[in-house]
Amino acid sequence: MAENGEGLGTVPEHERILQEIESTDTACVGPTLRSVYDDQPNAHKKFMEKLDACIRNHDKEIEKMCNFHHQGFVDAITELLKVRTDAEKLKVQVTDTNRKFQDAGKEVIVQTEDIIRCRIQQRNITTVVEKLQLCLPVLEMYSKLKEQMSAKRYYSALKTMEQLENVYFPRVSQYRFCQLMIENLPKLREDIKEISMSDLKDFLESIRKHSDKIGETAMKQAQQQKTFSVALQKQNRVQFGKNMHFNDRIPEERNEVELKRAFEEEDENEEEVLTVQDLVDFSPVYRCLHIYSVLGDEETFENYYRKQRKKQARLVLQPQSNMHETVDGYRRYFTQIVGFFVVEDHILHVTQGLVTRAYTDELWNMALSKIIAVLRAHSSYCTDPDLVLELKNLIVLFADTLQGYGFPVNRLFDLLFEIRDQYNETLLKKWAGVFRDIFEEDNYSPIPIVNEEEYKVVISKFPFQDPDLEKQSFPKKFPMSQSVPHIYIQVKEFIYASLKFSESLHRSSTEIDDMLRKSTNLLLTRTLSSCLLNLIRKPHIGLTELVQIIINTTHLEQACRYLEDFITNITNISQETVHTTRLYGLSTFKDARHAAEGEIYTKLNQKIDEFVQLADYDWTMSEPDGRASGYLMDLINFLRSIFQVFTHLPGKVAQTACMSACQHLSTSLMQMLLDSELKQISMGAVQQFNLDVIQCELFASSEPVPGFQGDTLQLAFIDLRQLLDLFMVWDWSTYLADYGQPASKYLRVNPNTALTLLEKVHRGMKDTSKKNNIFAQFRKNDRDKQKLIETVVKQLRSLVNGMSQHT
């Protein structure tokens, strides 16, 4: 029962499996069959049985189907057999028809092949045309490139190359000729670079040669602009003056004429003045810059250009060795530099990045340092003030020109202040020669005037005011000599010359006023003062000339205030301004006067010495001549005439000269007595000497120069007088007794001086005694006197020794 139960359970399962096998794809049969083996142990056998039963059922169905369709199959075979005969006939007909068609189509085939060949050729031709149309623009562009190279249109050629490489060559890159062209382009680029660089070198050489012409043109334009501006400023001042002073018509008309002349000159020069573009063809630079920019090598070009220009700058800045000899040397130097920097400024503004402002500033600073060093060195050799002035004008024009192009020039104006000092030095040297010539040509006598016309001529040259002289009738004389108006005129000329340098320095009126006053002070205190001192010390200048020089310096000193007014009128700076420099003429001429006065005293003493050297005393004479010595009378007459000349001098100067002469004469006479070579003096010689001293005292008391009070002048001979009185009255006891007392009669007699002279007299008396020994009484008197002298000599010696020990 159990087995039957199990059999009943497996049958539906086997049926299900068989259904799956029949209905599903063969790929899924494996898992289904595996399920058969995974069931009970006898399941396989039962399944096989079930399978066999299923197969038998299907076979029965197939057999039923075949039996059902068998008659139709037989009928179909019979029909096929009938058709076979017709098919063979049809085959024969088709074969024959095919043969006929083949024979008839041979000609068509030939013609078709011809058509095919023509179509292929046509297609090839079309392809060739298409390819040629693709290649022709390349060839045309390449031909155009060749033409541009031949026509030296290198920038366009480079652009054509770019088009070829970027547009045309990619279309035909598969062709061999294109590869050849591509390989040839780098060589063409190198050729263009070399050619453009060669053009640049030619351009650099050209501008080096034309730099002076470019600079000359630029400086001429700057000069014209400056002239026009100055004329316009004058016109503006005239217009302002017309509003302030309605009646002042002459200056207005004059300035209008000057302005009109300036406009006319500008109109005339406008047609002649060329620009830098007219003088130099800059196309090589532009072309080369564009070429290198296109080639992507712009930096190389910029570096090369800047390097070459720096070399040219160094050559331009190198001056000629003899540049300082003429103004043309300086002008050529400046025009070359201006031309160089005008070109650089033009390149700066018309190109993008070839030169920069920083580069030009660096180049200018380097050049400026070199220019200043060169000018400082070469200007030091200039000794001609006119050349220095022309150099200054050139520097100002040079600075103004470059300043107009944006270059800083303050250092050049600072240099001008150094050159101004040198200019003043050359002016001082020149005017030193002028002053020397004036002094050499002067006759050192008052200027004679015979009529009103001559008087006005002198007054027009020199500001002299003297009411007393004006009241005098002609002929009359000015107190100064001809050199005074000449010097005054030359000082004004010096101020004008100094002013010329101060113009165009862009300085205020106060600074110009200060410069003029300082330079004028140098002229007065150094040049004129030195010339006066040298003149005063010249051997051929006598006392009369010295007196006239003192008078001249007095009038020149008085004229200094007019010179200050003259400078004030030029600069319009009031003298009352706090910082206004004063002229030092007062001290200058005062020093010259003091030197002249000292020289008067010296020459007067020298003249006195000359007369004294003519003295020929007989120191052994027994009796005096009864009159003064001839040399002394001549000397006194000379002094009288000289002191008459001194009446034109200030009173103090004449008095000092007179006192100095008397003191020197007194000292010379005293030295004559005390001369060590003079061994003995007789009393007769002492008496003769006393007569000479009396004449000197009479001369002093005659007041040769007015202004002395009492017997002041006689005091110059007081030492001689007391000494001679001591010997004349032989009052030794009084001298010795009163020595050292304030009220002593012989207070001015020095014991040493008295001793020296007494010894000489003692020796003279001894010599006289030897000659006069005939009379005994004389010998006795002489012996007594000699004993007295010996006693006095001993006392004087003890007095002198006591003074020495005390000292």
Side-chain angles (χ1 to χ4, degrees), residues 44-61:
H44 179 265
K45 182 178 179 181
K46 293 178 179 181
F47 176 73
M48 292 301 297
E49 292 176 355
K50 187 67 176 176
L51 181 61
D52 289 336
C54 185
I55 291 172
R56 284 192 297 273
N57 290 330
H58 284 299
D59 287 338
K60 289 178 180 180
E61 292 177 358

Side-chain angles (χ1 to χ4, degrees), residues 521-562:
N521 277 331
L522 283 176
L523 179 72
L524 297 176
T525 58
R526 198 169 77 184
T527 305
L528 183 55
S529 176
S530 177
C531 291
L532 282 171
L533 292 177
N534 291 334
L535 174 66
I536 290 168
R537 296 189 183 108
K538 285 186 176 181
H540 70 275
I541 297 297
L543 292 170
T544 305
E545 288 82 0
L546 289 171
V547 171
Q548 188 61 53
I549 289 173
I550 292 176
I551 297 171
N552 290 348
T553 54
T554 302
H555 290 285
L556 287 173
E557 178 184 336
Q558 295 171 354
C560 283
R561 62 187 180 90
Y562 295 102

Side-chain angles (χ1 to χ4, degrees), residues 617-665:
Y617 286 102
D618 182 6
W619 299 108
T620 61
M621 65 171 57
S622 56
E623 295 291 337
D625 293 338
R627 63 181 182 275
S629 301
Y631 85 92
L632 187 67
M633 298 305 299
D634 292 340
L635 173 58
I636 290 174
N637 292 331
F638 167 76
L639 291 176
R640 290 184 187 279
S641 62
I642 286 297
F643 292 145
Q644 286 293 325
V645 177
F646 285 5
T647 55
H648 298 290
L649 290 175
K652 187 177 180 180
V653 176
Q655 293 170 11
T656 304
C658 185
M659 177 60 76
S660 173
C662 292
Q663 289 176 343
H664 185 73
L665 177 57

